[in-house]
Amino acid sequence: MIAPPRVWWKPLGQLERSWLLIGLVWCIFLTAMMPIWFFLGRQNVPATTYRATPEQFQAQVNAMIEQYKVGEERGFPIVEPPPGSDVFIQARMWQWYPIVKLKKGETYRLHLSSLDVQHGFSLQPMNLNFMVLPGYDYVVTITPTTAGEFYVVCNEYCGVGHHLMIGKIIVTE
Amino acid sequence: MAVTSIAREREHAIFRTCSATGLKVDLAAERLIIANAVVAVVMLLIGGIIALLLALTRWQAIHLLNPVWFYRLTTIHGIDMLVAWIVFFEVAGLYFGSTVLLNARMVKPSIAWFAFVLMLVGGLMVNVVVLMGGSDVMFTAYVPLKAHPLFYLGYILFAVGALIAVALFFVNVVVAKAEGRYEGSMPLVVFGLATAGIIATYTLLSGALAFVPAFFWSLGLVDNYDPGFFRNFFWSFGHPAQQINLAAMVAVWYALAFLTVGAVPLNEKLSRLAFILYIFFINLGSAHHLLVDPGPSFAWKATNTSYAMYLAVLGSMIHAFSIPAALEVALRRQGHKRGLLEWLRKAPWREPGFAALVVSMFVFGWIGGVTGVTIGTEQINMLAHNTLRIPGHFHATVVGGTTLAFMGLTYYLIPLIFRRELKLKKLAIWQPYVYGLGMALVSVGMIAAGLQGVSRRHWDVTFTQAPFQSPVPGTVHLALAVMGIGAIIAIIGGTMFLLVVLSSVFTGKRQEATSVTLVVDPPPFLGYMSEKEEKDAQLQPRGTFVIVLVFLMFFAAYYLSNWWLLGRTWMVR
């Protein structure tokens, strides 16, 4: 709060030097963890993105439903695309559409996009979260490692019905 | 060595001399500080009342508000707290630092009043527009969710006003130097505020880049506004705006350390280096919000989210050591030399500024800092993005940290700037502890709920009216109850603060300050250490070194356990 003495450019004390060094090492470790996990870890942030207008994306969703529909639940079609295929899930106020059925241990290219405002894809209870933006087709390459019923919550505020927006993903053995 | 580039006889500033500190106070600056601080506290009051309503809604057992009002008030809460309260207080702080601490004058009070009016009009405009309905878009206002044009205009007016205030800070500092108002280097507190000012400049410009097109888009003059573009520029405003708080708060920490125990920085070079690291790297933090966005590559996200190798984090780690170390050395020099921690036992725990400093540092560092670095890690962010862990993190930093530090400083502005007697001292002694405990519980409750996947900004995590119900374990309800109880305690702490401040300002006896401290005797001022003292083994901050090592172990444990959690979820790339 007061002006320092005229010459304040002084060497660090021993404890200060030690802490600075420990801090620097910790920061380098924090930095290194991200590329290490990128090469060795099995959970990495998807980077594949395409441009897609709402009309284009909706057409792809409808084509997929036509081809792979296996049932219906509460008005939502259930689709079961083959392993390795492209799966399209559309977000709009206030639903995730359609319900998809996946096989445990198989890999799918999940395409996420919005027809209106921004939404948040939040897979529960696995707790994996991604942004869903209109105009962007975000490709999440996913391999379910557990079977059961999973829910897709919207976790980006999208209007007054935000808390009604929930979808479903079924994973079979 | 005084340089008189501007003739002193042409100035109209009228100074008084503070009887407690001997500093010269420009009365025009004093009026501006008071005006900005008063509006800040009123905004805190509004935001605080709303905070209680929101917490009692998210506490599922109570679920107070209906969805429309929940989302509407969440919007106002975010704007009034994150922008209005904090920035108004920071403007007061910037004027205080650039005039009072430098014995200098407010160069252009009329422009400062103009900035004040712009900010006030902008802030009120946003509040009124949101309350009228139709603009429930949250603090973030993500395009293409559309609000009323006046919503964006209010934001812009506020930002322009703040930008002018920041410019005036720099003008004051430069003129003070030119007029020879102070000798040598500027004090560290002012240096920290200058850091905040530099960060504020590019932050507010980014805000303009996000909101000016949004304004034209809301008027229908622009057809398409790319949501990814908006997110990038919004967060170049939204996150660095909190880094202004960080820099200003650290400056306030140094100020409180000086006021309450007479602590001076151990090594000016190191403390200033830490601020410079903030200036260069902390703006990259805007990437924290884009980590699971479509678009950017792995490398872009990793580089930016790490603030280029966590050098801004290094800045915070430096302060985490150097501020407690300054306290320790000051107390050791006052004779509390025994063992590792005698100084801590003998510290002035009853002094509100000291309590606010310690609690603020603890909640900010141990809860806010650790969780922030962790959720800002690219891959770990997949587990945290838009869950309650995010507000859990920033309620620890901005509220438990910054707000509490600012509250602590406010107690000292009452005798020194408002020149009133501090009333209800007993409440002031307890207030930092009550408020800190409440906010710590709020944050921990939110983090615990978020770890279990509970969304932020969500009216009903049980989905009672939705087509499907995802199961909600009992531990989620427990975590939300902890948050709710914490909020009630924090509101009690906030009310204590307001009672002390309002009763002092309106009913306190008018008097000149006689002491810089409020409860305990003023600390002996020993100044900077002599070379002999620097070599004295008993004056080394050994206790602090042990404390920061324990902190680092806690940090590492939390950070690594998150990687472990990530490894258990589905495979994704």
Side-chain angles (χ1 to χ4, degrees), chain B residues 10-23:
Chain B
R10 280 176 50 210
E11 77 179 36
H12 303 290
I14 303 164
F15 289 93
R16 67 174 173 89
T17 303
C18 174
S19 49
T21 59
L23 287 165

Side-chain angles (χ1 to χ4, degrees), chain B residues 257-308:
Chain B
F258 177 78
L259 288 170
T260 57
V261 295
V264 291
L266 288 192
N267 192 304
E268 291 273 341
K269 181 171 77 175
L270 189 64
S271 297
R272 285 170 198 240
L273 170 77
F275 279 118
I276 287 171
L277 289 175
Y278 285 165
I279 296 175
F280 279 114
F281 300 111
I282 213 152
N283 59 329
L284 305 181
S286 44
H288 291 174
H289 302 264
L290 312 179
L291 291 177
V292 294
D293 271 27
S297 66
F298 165 80
W300 186 91
K301 287 174 177 173
T303 309
N304 283 287
T305 195
S306 72
Y307 303 109

